[in-house]
Amino acid sequence: MANYLSDNQTRFLDELLDWLRIPSVSADPKFHADILKAADYLKMRLEEAGVQNLEICPTAGNPIVYGDYITDASKPTVLVYGHYDVQPADPYELWTSPPFEPVIKDGNIYARGACDDKGQVYMHVKAFEMMMRDGQGGVPCNIKFMFEGEEEIGSNNLEIFVRANKEKLQADVILISDTGMLANDAPSIEVGLRGLSYHEVTVTGPNRDLHSGLYGGAVQNPINALCEMIASLHDADGRITIPGFYDNVDELSADERAEMAKAPFSEDEFKKSIGLPASYGEKGYSSMERTSIRPTLDVNGIWGGYTGEGAKTVIASQAHAKISMRLVPHQTSAEITALFQAHFASIAPAGITVQVRPHHGGEPVVTPTDSVAYKAAADAMTTTFGKRPVPTRGGGSIPIVAMFKTELGLDTVLLGFGLDSDAIHSPNEHFGVFNFLKGIETIPHFYRNYAAAQ
Ligand code: BES
Ligand code: MN
Ligand code: MN
């Protein structure tokens, strides 16, 4: 197998780069034709690798690419999920090479989607090809592939697709490579994802923009008010002040926290990697805990008033912000959304009206570490990294994972190969060539271990 991988790695990389050249941005409708092109490209490569029953399944939004390879009904079935859509690449000027002209520099593939998630999806395509062709025993279990084009905008149509195709998607476990690990010499498997409650808020004051000299001092300024309201959402201990916010939070035991603290996480490197002299967060928790087992609230964007060249003396009629909360078990996005809406309206000062518009949400999940599938993944990584992976709770969100559990009754294994330093969603996103190849090498071991354990 090592031979098949090394003999073909240049071609594998070239094919991935070709795919990364297609700007499959889901957030912006102007890229719609590229979304379709990226789905077609993926289907073509899956077909070439030997995946059967390939379809481009239309949805009300972007299509889902489905295919499978059923060897033997008595063998277990793995449903592989990933996404071929990518985040917008803005701001383009901060990229050292253009986001859709991928290059390999210093052992990394630079492009939007290199890690999240096209590069990781492509590991699965090539791992499958390798099992089909490397003469090492073929494909040891049944595999279904389902790749969507709307993960970065909330997976709404995938949810509908899953509900409508439960039979077709029947499997024993879900396998996803869309997360990260601690370091290349510290393999880990994420066993949790946070949920999400995301809102756009508008605060309105006077019925029109006002001259700040004629009216300033005698009216509540909506931008000032919004800033005060936002500032009040955390207390001096970094805790969120929304009443009831922590009521359902699953508190970890001292033992569980001690176990977590064993993970090789360096606070100094964390700070250094993002250019900060100090970290911040909820009192009593480490940075690793704050970014995984604790819920958070962050402003993602804020605007209003005059932001153009020069100065304009004005009190704006309105101010806006996008505010998201990351959730942990056993918070639910519906509960937190209701609490946020009620609280945010209640803290508006006199003269300010508040509108809260919820965007997509998602539920937190914790995946089991005592399952056959988790063990198969941990053993696979142990083989290819020469070190046993540690389980970690992740800070990001993949809302569909909780849905797979409720709708299909299936647990997920998050076999991700990215690194926090890969700059996903940021300028200069990249993915290590090492990580890409390690993923291709590891995935077949997962299938073999999983099939053998049944
Ligand atoms: N792949 C990421 C999530 C992720 C990254 C989880 C790294 C764990 C480690 C996914 O594509 C993503 O960006 N999710 C969004 C939520 C979605 C609803 C837009 C997120 O976490 O912000
Ligand atoms: Mn992703
Ligand atoms: Mn993403």
Side-chain angles (χ1 to χ4, degrees):
M1 187 170 72
N3 280 347
Y4 192 87
L5 188 49
S6 50
D7 291 351
N8 291 281
Q9 68 175 60
T10 310
R11 174 173 60 83
F12 289 0
L13 283 164
D14 285 343
E15 291 170 4
L16 172 59
L17 297 201
D18 282 342
W19 197 29
L20 290 170
R21 264 180 215 107
I22 307 170
S24 49
V25 177
S26 51
D28 184 345
K30 89 168 182 253
F31 293 103
H32 190 67
D34 294 303
I35 281 278
L36 302 181
K37 256 173 83 178
D40 279 337
Y41 185 94
L42 177 57
K43 174 174 177 258
M44 182 265 289
R45 291 300 185 199
L46 285 163
E47 199 146 41
E48 218 173 57
V51 176
Q52 298 172 346
N53 301 310
L54 277 155
E55 292 173 70
I56 300 251
C57 309
T59 73
N62 299 337
I64 290 159
V65 180
Y66 176 87
D68 57 34
Y69 188 81
I70 308 297
T71 48
D72 179 343
S74 70
K75 294 203 172 135
T77 302
V78 177
L79 174 57
V80 178
Y81 160 84
H83 62 96
Y84 66 81
D85 65 320
V86 300
Q87 284 278 327
D90 320 67
Y92 281 65
E93 66 275 15
L94 295 184
W95 287 76
T96 53
S97 58
F100 300 109
E101 293 171 32
V103 289
I104 300 179
K105 256 186 321 207
D106 308 324
N108 287 308
I109 308 154
Y110 282 84
R112 171 57 85 230
C115 173
D116 185 15
D117 181 31
K118 284 158 127 181
Q120 299 210 62
V121 164
Y122 213 65
M123 299 178 320
H124 282 273
V125 182
K126 295 297 103 175
F128 183 82
E129 174 194 310
M130 195 160 78
M131 290 188 293
M132 293 289 279
R133 301 203 199 145
D134 69 359
Q136 306 282 306
V139 178
C141 60
N142 305 310
I143 308 178
K144 297 179 175 177
F145 294 98
M146 176 171 70
F147 300 117
E148 72 156 318
E150 298 189 339
E151 195 276 342
E152 300 290 9
I153 53 171
S155 301
N156 290 341
N157 290 301
L158 180 69
E159 208 168 315
I160 296 166
F161 181 84
V162 169
R163 288 211 176 92
N165 290 281
K166 291 189 181 180
E167 194 76 21
K168 183 195 190 92
L169 300 175
Q170 232 173 46
D172 296 285
V173 73
I174 310 269
L175 180 64
I176 301 178
S177 296
D178 191 23
T179 52
M181 46 180 207
L182 288 167
N184 286 351
D185 59 0
S188 60
I189 297 179
E190 289 193 18
V191 294
L193 292 164
R194 289 194 285 188
L196 197 59
S197 171
Y198 198 117
H199 306 272
E200 190 161 326
V201 302
T202 298
V203 299
T204 306
N207 59 7
R208 61 182 170 85
D209 288 4
L210 303 174
H211 188 292
S212 66
L214 301 186
Y215 292 91
V219 295
Q220 182 60 260
N221 177 327
I223 301 177
N224 294 10
L226 179 59
C227 291
E228 276 173 36
M229 291 165 73
I230 288 170
S232 78
L233 295 174
H234 288 93
D235 68 15
D237 289 336
R239 279 176 69 88
I240 294 152
T241 56
I242 300 168
F245 185 81
Y246 292 97
D247 281 4
N248 296 323
V249 167
D250 184 27
E251 304 284 344
L252 268 65
S253 68
D255 281 356
E256 286 172 307
R257 291 180 65 188
E259 195 54 41
M260 253 190 93
K262 286 188 197 156
F265 175 88
S266 155
E267 179 75 17
D268 281 340
E269 268 172 43
F270 172 72
K271 288 187 285 197
K272 218 171 102 196
S273 72
I274 45 176
L276 287 176
S279 56
Y280 158 88
E282 189 184 356
K283 200 174 162 187
Y285 294 93
S286 67
S287 292
M288 193 173 192
E289 290 173 327
R290 289 166 177 167
T291 55
S292 60
I293 58 164
R294 300 302 295 168
T296 57
L297 181 149
D298 277 290
V299 178
N300 301 99
I302 182 164
W303 69 103
Y306 183 70
T307 57
E309 280 297 313
K312 179 185 179 193
T313 48
V314 66
I315 294 173
S317 165
Q318 290 194 320
H320 313 263
K322 291 182 194 276
I323 301 176
S324 69
M325 286 158 283
R326 296 278 169 175
L327 314 179
V328 300
H330 302 107
Q331 295 175 303
T332 68
S333 63
E335 162 219 357
I336 295 300
T337 291
L339 290 178
F340 177 80
Q341 279 184 302
H343 179 68
F344 207 68
S346 80
I347 58 174
I352 294 291
T353 57
V354 173
Q355 192 198 7
V356 179
R357 283 195 299 133
H359 280 258
H360 51 249
E363 307 309 327
V365 282
V366 171
T367 62
T369 49
D370 57 357
S371 66
V372 169
Y374 180 84
K375 191 169 178 299
D379 289 347
M381 278 186 121
T382 306
T383 303
T384 57
F385 284 82
K387 225 184 221 182
R388 192 139 192 97
V390 296
T392 60
R393 292 269 296 267
S397 306
I398 309 177
I400 204 68
V401 174
M403 246 272 299
F404 285 142
K405 182 72 180 175
T406 53
E407 296 301 319
L408 302 175
L410 297 180
D411 284 318
T412 292
V413 173
L414 297 164
L415 189 59
F417 294 89
L419 298 175
D420 283 355
S421 55
D422 287 342
I424 64 171
H425 295 207
S426 303
N428 305 310
E429 175 177 352
H430 54 277
F431 190 37
V433 171
F434 169 87
N435 303 66
F436 176 66
L437 298 175
K438 229 7 155 197
I440 300 172
E441 187 191 344
T442 306
I443 291 164
H445 286 285
F446 168 80
Y447 291 123
R448 289 190 198 112
N449 296 343
Y450 186 62
Q454 304 292 316

